[in-house]
Amino acid sequence: GVVAINQKTGQVLAVGSEAKEMVGRTPGHIVAKRPLRSGVVSDFEVTEQMLKYLIDRSRKKKLIGPRVIVGVPFGVTEVEKKAVIDAAKSAGARQVFLIEEPMAAAIGARLPVQEAEGNFIVDIGGGTTEVAVISLGGIVLAKSLRVAGDKLNEDIVRFVQEEYKILIGERTAEAVKINIGSAYPLKEKKEMPLRGRNLVTGLPEEIIISDDDIRKAIEKSVNMILTEIKTALEETPPELLSDIISNGIYLAGGGASLRGLSLLVQKETKIKTKVIEDPMTAVVRGAGMVLENLDKFSDVLLDTTELEPPK
């Protein structure tokens, strides 16, 4: 979640991908901020502004505030939950529901989360990778790791700097990751030109970078994600594990699209691994499905009755 803000007026100019386009490219008084560091509210005012912007855009009639559902990482504290609820209420929400992101992703992936069977979901977002085993509408066990898409971008920036003495920005690193990045050797080699500043001469320079380079750059982080998945499997109760072996592992989130990742997970765990359809929007889709069908999905929401201000 990136928000672009005009500091002179405090006005939110853009949210999400539009704001991301502005990172590293804005005039002084426009800042692109990430209020939700690793999925947790780090900057309350900006989060409130962001929610307000989104709520205002979604409201046709100004009469009644909408119901809002917010995805939060597994294991957030009561204080963090309260911060999210308060920010959404201040931004004009009439009712606020919280759902854990892995649960939302699993619902978005149309997994049978309310059945008595094990569903294994890996949600690789920007700030965090969440691994969860879900059964009977609840998270049986989950792991949260602060290694995900953003970390892979940083790995690429560092690698290019160390190997080629060239400085690139995070946006460029992300483009490289999307274009030629992979977790597993590709059948055919991929290359792309990369432009940045040569740290020795201080001048702009263009080099050709290959998929091997990028794989080397992100290998350590990818292995951390793999370890997380294996640890979760080791801790899964045997009955649920047998379900997971037959149902498979599902990958969601933007990071799931990394070429060869599902193949690598399958090779390392010996469990069939699938990237869900449209993995980027799984959490949002799942949250939307819950909001449209609260009666059916009430058991998957986080209990926030304690945190609501008294009427």
Side-chain angles (χ1 to χ4, degrees), residues 72-76 100-102 130-132 139-144 302:
V72 294
F74 175 78
V76 294
E100 286 155 321
E101 280 159 7
E130 315 237 319
V131 180
I139 293 180
V140 177
L141 137 166
K143 307 259 159 225
S144 187
L302 282 176

Side-chain angles (χ1 to χ4, degrees), residues 234-286:
E234 282 163 17
E235 292 175 16
T236 300
E239 296 296 336
L240 294 177
L241 189 60
S242 87
D243 297 336
I244 291 162
I245 292 168
S246 51
N247 297 338
I249 289 172
Y250 290 86
L251 305 184
S257 317
L258 181 66
R259 290 175 194 79
L261 183 59
S262 55
L263 196 64
L264 183 63
V265 172
Q266 185 161 317
K267 199 171 151 287
E268 292 283 325
T269 60
K270 316 228 180 330
I271 296 174
K272 66 171 188 273
T273 302
K274 306 193 251 307
V275 176
I276 70 162
E277 231 177 291
D278 209 0
M280 270 294 271
T281 57
V283 173
V284 178
R285 270 205 318 274

Side-chain angles (χ1 to χ4, degrees), residues 10 14-15 65 69 76 79 117 160 193-194 208-209 226 239 291 295 305:
V15 165
I69 187 164
V76 294
V79 173
E117 62 176 282
V160 172
L194 185 64
I208 299 293
I209 197 159
L226 273 176
E239 296 296 336
L291 201 53
D295 296 344
T305 38

Side-chain angles (χ1 to χ4, degrees), residues 4 25 29 57 64 69 78 113 117 125 132 135 138 154 157 199-200 212 248-250 282-283 285:
R25 292 194 167 145
H29 66 284
R57 275 181 62 171
I64 185 162
I69 187 164
E78 297 296 302
V113 296
E117 62 176 282
S135 176
E154 287 163 28
V157 171
L199 289 162
V200 182
D212 290 340
I249 289 172
Y250 290 86
V283 173
R285 270 205 318 274

Side-chain angles (χ1 to χ4, degrees), residues 93-107:
R94 162 172 56 113
Q95 248 182 322
V96 188
F97 302 99
L98 300 185
I99 186 167
E100 286 155 321
E101 280 159 7
M103 178 64 85
I107 292 169

